[in-house]
Amino acid sequence: MADAPVDTATSVPVAVVGAGPAGLMLAHRLGRVGVETIVLDTRTRHEIETTQRAGILEADVARDLVETGVSDRILREGHEHEGTEIRFGGRAHRIHFKALVGESVWLYPQTDVFIDLADARDRDGGTVHFGVEDTEVLDVTTAAPRVRYTAADGSRHEIRARYVVGADGSRSMCRNLIPEDRRVRYGKEYPFAWFGIMAEAPRSAPELVYAHSDHGFALISQRTETVQRMYFQCDPDESVDAWSDDRIWETLQARVAGEDGFRLAEGPVLEKAVLRFRSFVQEPMRWGSMVLAGDAAHTVPPTGARGLNLALHDVKVLADVLLRALGDGGEAALDDYQPQALQRIWRAQNFSHWLTELLHTPPGASPFDRRRRLGELDNVVGTRAGRTYLSEQYTGWPVSAQG
Ligand SMILES: Cc1cc2nc3c(=O)[nH]c(=O)nc-3n(C[C@H](O)[C@H](O)[C@H](O)COP(=O)(O)OP(=O)(O)OC[C@H]3O[C@@H](n4cnc5c(N)ncnc54)[C@H](O)[C@@H]3O)c2cc1C
């Protein structure tokens, strides 16, 4: 396949595998400084637009979407959250991010981030091919890597690039191009997953509600005035078919119940899925002329709402590094990417792991484990230091505050 004839061969400075937030934002940032890209994705635009994923953006990331000219729609249709609620022991505790650390987060679904980025590429004349097949990345250890693919109409194409970016998500094939004996994979599996639903119902709360209970974890999030997103802890092998709407609502209500009489507004369940997750980092994030970004290099459990934010931070660093590498800096400029990106990645790994362990109850937890966890929750919400730590971590770290 590597040398079979193709219908077209096109040369660009940077080829990007994956049109998720990392791939499209990188293409947008490079496009603004005159660097042409071609982005490929195996999924159709419609498929990506309709897959529910992240919902919380750091204020810094929201500002970047506006200030780099992607779109200011987030300011009109997004919701700024100045805090969040943590419920446990039947009581609610508000963590006021803005008062504690002067920052907030934005509720703005990943589907909208994607639509804004894809529209920006269209508007700016960027090239994105959706619905491709048979992506092959070749010659990454040379200065002339290539990407080959089959377009949606069955024709075969080759992109000749100076650099290739693997932004192909948590099942990345690009990261497998780094030989086994030259890469390290750090990771952790969890003995639980999330049962995620979209429901037609009014909002139950103005901000996200994270609930820890004897029955397990739940997260109450929002989408629109009439559609809400919620999750509860389940077994990784749980079958969605075993869950009627009634059973789902009973489970969620039990997990958020408290002495304040809080109840979720119920309605028909529109979508349901079991979402497995893990903690994962692959190093190195660069191999020859290929660089990894976003979920291709690292994934976090969704509890800390870091994944999308991290992906967008990676490409902020990477766009600058690639620009230098394509200019006077040469390939050596790429050496700056991993150390800068990794510091935030490991901070986010730690926070996501900590918050996941804090809020979930693992199967078989001993009475001691359960009581100790309540003690830790008390320490977090009951001390200014605890609330400040949670707020600082949840709202993200400014690029200037890496130290
Ligand atoms: C339930 C859930 C809730 C989440 N909540 C949050 C949250 O609140 N906040 C947050 O920050 N993050 C959250 N995340 C994580 C976030 O969704 C991801 O971290 C984010 O999508 C990473 O972006 P990416 O561009 O790196 O990867 P992706 O969005 O996965 O994009 C990768 C793209 O590459 C394409 N691709 C794969 N293989 C190939 C190939 N061979 N050729 C061409 N294209 C290919 C895929 O089709 C995909 O479109 C959540 C995730 C889940 C699952």
Side-chain angles (χ1 to χ4, degrees), residues 59-133:
D60 235 20
V61 165
R63 275 191 288 272
D64 278 354
L65 288 178
V66 178
E67 286 169 12
T68 65
V70 173
S71 170
D72 62 3
R73 193 159 67 100
I74 186 170
L75 301 177
R76 297 187 303 279
E77 297 177 26
H79 296 272
E80 188 174 10
H81 288 186
E82 294 191 352
T84 193
E85 185 174 292
I86 309 276
R87 297 180 71 83
F88 65 94
R91 300 179 68 179
H93 307 265
R94 177 140 196 271
I95 308 293
H96 197 319
F97 304 147
K98 194 82 172 186
L100 288 158
V101 298
E103 273 297 4
S104 55
V105 293
W106 284 77
L107 180 79
Y108 191 64
Q110 182 165 337
T111 42
D112 285 316
V113 174
F114 169 78
I115 290 168
D116 291 348
L117 285 166
D119 284 351
R121 289 284 69 213
D122 273 351
R123 182 192 65 215
D124 298 345
T127 306
V128 184
H129 298 299
F130 291 105
V132 308
E133 287 175 4

